[in-house]
Amino acid sequence: MPSRLQILTALVGTAFALPNLTPRDTSALRILPWSWNFNITALSGPGCPDFGATSPPHVTRPTFGSNTVDGSEIYYWFFAYPHLRASVAPGTPEASVWCETTLAYTELDKDGVAPAVPGYRLKLHKNGTQVIARYDLEEGVEAKLKFTYFTDGKETIVDTLNVAGPRASGSYNDNTPVTGLVQWPLPKCGTGTIKFRTELTVSAKKEGAKGTVSSDQLEYEGKTVYYGLQQGVSYDWEKCTA
Ligand SMILES: *[C@@H]1O[C@H](CO)[C@@H](O)[C@H](O)[C@H]1NC(C)=O
Ligand SMILES: *[C@@H]1O[C@H](CO)[C@@H](O)[C@H](O)[C@H]1NC(C)=O
């Protein structure tokens, strides 16, 4: 789980690099631009009907970034999906919901603008996909999260997280299993379009079993709203040679 501080920062903040990112000049091992951002430029599907909505805190949005500090160079950016949730109950043995997200990635210099000559190429998918969600699954219920990254239009990278009940009610942070490094270097340095599909399916394999996958809830103007199930997209960079 991210700390409370990270969540609060994310609620009021933007998609810029957050202070938990180590400045790039503290270690010769690190390969990263001064800063960068991800903007959601399109959303489609029943799991994200709110493209363009801005009223916080319950819209589909970027939340926070994190990274390793041990030289392994694993970066994540998280995106929250308040409408991506599904439940099974007696009489409803399967439920699923999906969303397709398009992101614009931009490298930024220390003035917060895209440099005339970008220095780095983003390579998607350094370490699978992270998922921060709430589960409440009885025995006999299975939850499947499938992440499909559309790369150059020909190949896709697919990550899957399977969670079998029982899983006690609570918030969990999981990483999809990683079998070998499969990355997609963006076609251009400094900028690019990233598109992925997020799909959640909950199935009762046992007659009448109950289960829910959702996210933390909070009170907002007298209503209960969902924070959003979070998908952590992983990446790193390589230097561009002129
Ligand atoms: C991208 O997002 C950042 C941070 O939210 C914002 O400042 C910037 O204006 C956005 N850029 C575009 C092109 O929408
Ligand atoms: C990288 O992926 C592995 C395998 O899923 C996971 O155990 C590990 O926690 C991940 N590393 C980070 C920094 O998230």
Side-chain angles (χ1 to χ4, degrees), residues 190-202:
T191 180
T193 301
I194 296 169
K195 186 173 176 186
F196 51 83
R197 181 182 172 96
T198 309
E199 205 164 354
L200 165 67
T201 306
V202 184

Side-chain angles (χ1 to χ4, degrees), residues 14-16 37-39:
T14 68
F16 285 102
N37 72 22
F38 295 101
N39 288 12

Side-chain angles (χ1 to χ4, degrees), residues 68 74 76 127 130 175-178:
T68 52
I74 302 171
Y76 286 92
N127 196 41
Q130 252 185 70
N175 208 92
T176 62
V178 176

Side-chain angles (χ1 to χ4, degrees), residues 125-191:
H125 201 255
K126 175 66 185 263
N127 196 41
T129 304
Q130 252 185 70
V131 186
I132 304 171
R134 275 198 87 82
Y135 298 79
D136 188 356
L137 306 176
E138 288 183 358
E139 190 178 342
V141 176
E142 284 175 19
K144 180 176 177 177
L145 278 144
K146 185 178 173 195
F147 306 97
T148 306
Y149 297 92
F150 304 101
T151 54
D152 54 5
K154 294 187 289 254
E155 290 172 51
T156 57
I157 299 171
V158 180
D159 284 338
T160 310
L161 178 71
N162 289 313
V163 178
R167 194 173 228 199
S169 175
S171 197
Y172 296 80
N173 186 342
D174 299 289
N175 208 92
T176 62
V178 176
T179 46
L181 186 60
V182 182
Q183 285 194 278
W184 179 51
L186 297 192
K188 280 164 65 179
C189 295
T191 180

